[in-house]
Amino acid sequence: RYVYSWDRNNFAPRAGLAFTIDKNTVVRAGAGLFYAGLEISSTNTGTFATTGFSANTTMAASLDGITPYRYLSNPFPDGIVAPTRNSLGASTGLGQSINLWDNHPATPYGVQWNFDLQRTLTGNLLVDLAYSANRGIRLARERNIDALNPQYLALRTELQRVVTNPFLGQIASGPLSQPRVSQQQLLLPYPQYTGLTVMNDTSGNSTYHSLQLKVEKRMARGSGILFSYTASKAITDCRKALAEFGSYSQAINVQNWYDLRTERSLSDIDVPQAAALSYVLEFPLGPGHALLGGVKGIGAKLLEGWGLSGVASYRSGFPLALSAPNTGAGPGTRPNSAGRSAKITASRTRGAAIAQWFDTSAFTLPPPFTFGNLSRTLPDTRGPNLASVDISLLKDTRLTERKRLEFRAEAFNLANTPQFWVPDTSMGSLQFGQISQNSGLPRVVQLSMKLLF
């Protein structure tokens, strides 16, 4: 009736405080413990039958990672794997890469706390200064439990040596059905599989601290302004500790599954600086206003109801997450640092920045069968900042007592500023360090007219 066993001890206390210092000043504080649900897609919960009830036939391109073994002209000479359903019992999935689901996972949770000082300076001007933070614990991630123990990397090329396959005759197809396999395969924790991934493994953590400023001129005489600014820092040790930014994400693989402490770094969506200004302005023109208030007839209809609103926003770029070609240490290998920052601070043209966003010579390829010494994300080198201005011009005309005509002209990204995405961060790519992708829309202008009756 449900995929996971219920966790019945999730006690979630929370407390809040509000104190009025004087008629214009209020202090607020709060803290609480909040639980989060596990990822609930069919892939991450096992509600969609996979192992045994569906099958993949893997092309064994090479047994040692160097010498070609199967070719595209005949990729599956041993036939196609058929689903076995439950006929094999505990032997189901042997020789395949399978996903596992822990029936008793810990529930992810976060501890949140904040302190807020709010003061009214004048009748319509409000200033709010707040400190807000949270700590994410037991966050869900996909975890590889069949990774090679780093102690075996000292064997170097011996890992690629082809040896007799002890599983011959027990596995029907795939690399483990062949007479010989690589030495590395037999040194895995579960050599009878080509991969084992635990879905919704709750081993992730995150930390977030922020200082938040808000200045608001409350609506009065048809006008209001709101300015907000946030300075923050987010640190995580797993990619899924925070939501991905829209449809964009950086490919970040764990380098060493046996030492997850080395994964702790700036979150790949850390935004240290963010600001936004929004406003609504009513033009003081026509009847009832200070300017040209005596105009009547058609002139009054043309002057009345004009207004302007918009949003201007800015945020820092995301930290960069670099990867290096697999040197035999695993797919999560990262480069070595050359001992200096890759950030380019010299003045240069936009075209030069796009062609080389960071100093690619600040990194070197780690020696074979070793991990790179670079952190999961770079501490001081980020992708491009994002800035945008959206604006809307409004004309509201009262035609009769019960009819109004509304005209609106809107422009998104008014300055038509290109919004570039992060550069290529794969050291093995020919485009390493180059920006080839944008984010967001170019300038978009739209006109609308609406009759209200």
Side-chain angles (χ1 to χ4, degrees), residues 132-180:
S132 180
N134 68 66
R135 173 87 166 85
I137 303 171
R138 296 176 179 173
L139 303 177
R141 75 189 325 156
E142 298 173 5
R143 183 166 186 170
N144 179 13
I145 62 171
D146 201 23
L148 182 71
N149 193 311
Q151 67 182 0
Y152 295 120
L153 294 178
L155 296 175
R156 301 175 66 83
T157 56
E158 276 293 302
L159 294 171
Q160 299 171 337
R161 186 165 60 91
V162 177
V163 298
T164 301
N165 181 12
F167 304 113
L168 182 63
Q170 303 177 57
I171 297 175
S173 65
L176 295 182
S177 67
Q178 309 305 317
R180 298 171 70 79

Side-chain angles (χ1 to χ4, degrees), residues 383-413:
N385 301 327
L386 291 183
S388 182
V389 176
D390 304 331
I391 194 170
S392 176
L393 179 65
L394 173 70
K395 174 71 169 72
D396 191 355
T397 305
R398 183 170 294 279
L399 301 178
T400 65
E401 185 69 23
R402 303 181 63 180
K403 294 180 181 179
R404 288 171 35 230
L405 183 65
E406 182 181 286
F407 168 77
R408 185 182 297 271
E410 298 173 315
F412 303 95
N413 190 9

Side-chain angles (χ1 to χ4, degrees), residues 91-107:
S91 297
T92 302
L94 288 179
Q96 300 181 39
S97 178
I98 63 175
N99 295 332
L100 309 174
W101 295 268
D102 183 359
N103 187 43
H104 303 279
T107 303

Side-chain angles (χ1 to χ4, degrees), residues 203-225:
S203 60
N205 297 273
S206 72
T207 303
Y208 174 82
H209 296 275
S210 69
L211 181 66
Q212 303 173 7
L213 172 67
K214 180 177 72 173
V215 180
E216 179 181 8
K217 179 188 176 299
R218 293 167 174 169
M219 287 293 295
R221 298 179 180 178
S223 299
I225 300 176

Side-chain angles (χ1 to χ4, degrees), residues 242-274:
L242 296 173
E244 295 178 3
F245 178 72
S247 60
Y248 297 99
S249 63
Q250 299 184 70
I252 304 177
N253 295 318
V254 172
Q255 182 168 243
N256 183 1
W257 284 104
Y258 292 83
D259 188 7
L260 293 178
R261 292 175 301 177
T262 59
E263 295 296 306
R264 180 179 169 84
S265 67
L266 286 176
S267 168
D268 51 314
I269 59 169
D270 172 63
V271 179
Q273 308 281 337

Side-chain angles (χ1 to χ4, degrees), residues 24-270:
N24 293 321
T25 309
V26 177
V27 172
R28 297 181 177 88
L33 194 154
F34 301 83
Y35 286 88
L38 295 166
E39 296 186 50
I40 59 173
S41 70
S42 59
T43 302
N44 289 335
T45 58
T47 53
F48 180 82
T50 54
T51 305
F53 293 85
S54 66
N56 295 323
T57 304
T58 304
M59 176 184 171
S62 175
L63 298 181
D64 58 6
I66 300 175
T67 308
Y69 181 70
R70 294 290 188 240
Y71 300 88
L72 291 178
S73 58
N74 185 20
F76 309 114
D78 303 315
I80 302 297
V81 179
T84 60
R85 300 178 65 84
N86 62 353
S87 61
L88 299 180
S91 297
T92 302
L94 288 179
Q96 300 181 39
S97 178
I98 63 175
N99 295 332
L100 309 174
W101 295 268
D102 183 359
N103 187 43
H104 303 279
T107 303
Y109 69 94
V111 182
Q112 302 179 19
W113 62 97
N114 62 76
F115 178 84
D116 180 277
L117 177 64
Q118 189 178 77
R119 180 171 177 80
T120 301
L121 300 182
T122 65
N124 294 317
L125 185 62
L126 175 73
V127 176
D128 191 309
L129 184 64
Y131 162 71
S132 180
N134 68 66
R135 173 87 166 85
I137 303 171
R138 296 176 179 173
L139 303 177
R141 75 189 325 156
E142 298 173 5
R143 183 166 186 170
N144 179 13
I145 62 171
D146 201 23
L148 182 71
N149 193 311
Q151 67 182 0
Y152 295 120
L153 294 178
L155 296 175
R156 301 175 66 83
T157 56
E158 276 293 302
L159 294 171
Q160 299 171 337
R161 186 165 60 91
V162 177
V163 298
T164 301
N165 181 12
F167 304 113
L168 182 63
Q170 303 177 57
I171 297 175
S173 65
L176 295 182
S177 67
Q178 309 305 317
R180 298 171 70 79
V181 295
S182 69
Q183 180 67 56
Q184 177 173 330
Q185 177 66 40
L186 300 183
L187 292 175
L188 297 178
Y190 303 93
Q192 66 272 38
Y193 297 97
T194 57
L196 283 175
T197 302
V198 177
M199 315 303 290
N200 272 329
D201 176 76
T202 52
S203 60
N205 297 273
S206 72
T207 303
Y208 174 82
H209 296 275
S210 69
L211 181 66
Q212 303 173 7
L213 172 67
K214 180 177 72 173
V215 180
E216 179 181 8
K217 179 188 176 299
R218 293 167 174 169
M219 287 293 295
R221 298 179 180 178
S223 299
I225 300 176
L226 174 63
F227 171 78
S228 63
Y229 169 77
T230 300
S232 65
K233 187 174 186 178
I235 296 176
T236 67
D237 61 9
C238 66
R239 180 171 176 269
K240 291 191 174 181
L242 296 173
E244 295 178 3
F245 178 72
S247 60
Y248 297 99
S249 63
Q250 299 184 70
I252 304 177
N253 295 318
V254 172
Q255 182 168 243
N256 183 1
W257 284 104
Y258 292 83
D259 188 7
L260 293 178
R261 292 175 301 177
T262 59
E263 295 296 306
R264 180 179 169 84
S265 67
L266 286 176
S267 168
D268 51 314
I269 59 169
D270 172 63

